Amino acid sequence: MMTRGVIGDLDLLAGGGAVTLATLVAASGSTSKKVGAKMVVGENGQLMGGVTIGGCVDAQVVEAADEIVNTGGRRLLSISLDDDEAFEIGLTCGGTVDVLLERIAPDSGRDVIADAHRAAHRALESGHAAVIVTPLDGNTAALVVTETGTRHGSLGEASLDATATSVASDVLRNSSRVESIGDRRFFFDRQAPPMTLVIVGAGQIAMSLTRMARELEMRSIVIDGRERYATPERFPDADELCVGMPSDIVAEISPNHRVAVALVAHDYKYELPVLRQLLRAPVGYIGMLGSKKRGAAVRELLREEGFTDEELARIHTPIGLDLGGKSPPEVALSILAEVVAVRSGKRE
């Protein structure tokens, strides 16, 4: 993953010249790099990013990208792999990897692909996801659809833009993929800010949550009032550790639908003040550790304070999907499974 974002790497490598942007658009089997992984190849031979974990595929992509950056145009590169080659890059068996190669001149002011990535980058900086739609054949074109409903660019036809916008709305809730519209294929490249998992309570469940959250590319914040618990030694995978009153710290986090809050302290003095703040805030998920009886008691206390049934229904308690597990890692897995289900619209 390129930390500055794609457009930052394009600008850095271009230096007034051109680059080739290589994007993994499809792969049979399961690969260790997601569809949408990117590599930027500069005219001077510089490389940033990668479409797989390396090896034979990236080497072939670099060779083809060098040709594209020198001669221009775009190309869909399909690489067939035998079982040994597939295993090297994380595929379960032999198959095909499809990589879209596009020559981009970021400084020209007329490059539609660079312009599309800039539009997507602006959306990301505002905290919103965007989908860049590009054809896998034919002329260069790009349409950007953001989750706020704005559009930038065009695929060349109003009817095509309308259909692509409808597909992009679904992609925004899921993941990047190739879709056919009529007899043409398009790559829908979803770009989104990372989800933030706010964990209140620095116990064993929290430790497992931070490990699994990193694997899911979520940013994790651990909050606890006890300095001895919220330590880097206990939480090497956490992105941020905060010691203090949880309600005060949560109040400083900008609430949006990409924030999920897991209350795993099992302590009323932490939970109730945090819930009072969150139940009327636009966070994407609120979960609280505890039994059904305990959850009902908390809801009743908050109902007496004036919170509505609709607001109280936002509390997922008992927290997590019922997977049957009891150990801290199993509970953490159930919590993250529920967060993903809520995020993808599979669970309210």
Side-chain angles (χ1 to χ4, degrees), residues 54-72:
C56 60
V57 172
D58 276 8
Q60 292 184 60
V61 170
V62 170
E63 182 179 357
D66 284 337
E67 181 180 348
I68 291 289
V69 79
N70 291 320
T71 62

Side-chain angles (χ1 to χ4, degrees), residues 175-196:
S175 57
S176 302
R177 64 178 186 261
V178 173
E179 285 284 343
S180 295
I181 301 177
D183 59 355
R184 300 184 63 191
R185 297 169 70 226
F186 295 84
F187 180 56
F188 289 76
D189 186 5
R190 179 181 181 270
Q191 300 186 15
M195 192 159 193
T196 297

Side-chain angles (χ1 to χ4, degrees), residues 18 30 57 61 79 92 113-114 122 134 147 151 162 166 182 192 231-232 234 243 259 283 292 310 312 329 339 344 348:
S30 58
V57 172
V61 170
I79 303 174
T92 55
I113 301 301
R122 289 192 295 271
T134 52
E147 64 183 348
R151 297 196 318 193
S166 178
T231 65
R234 284 167 54 83
V243 178
V259 173
V283 295
K292 290 183 179 179
E310 184 179 5
L312 296 172
V339 170
S344 61
E348 295 183 356

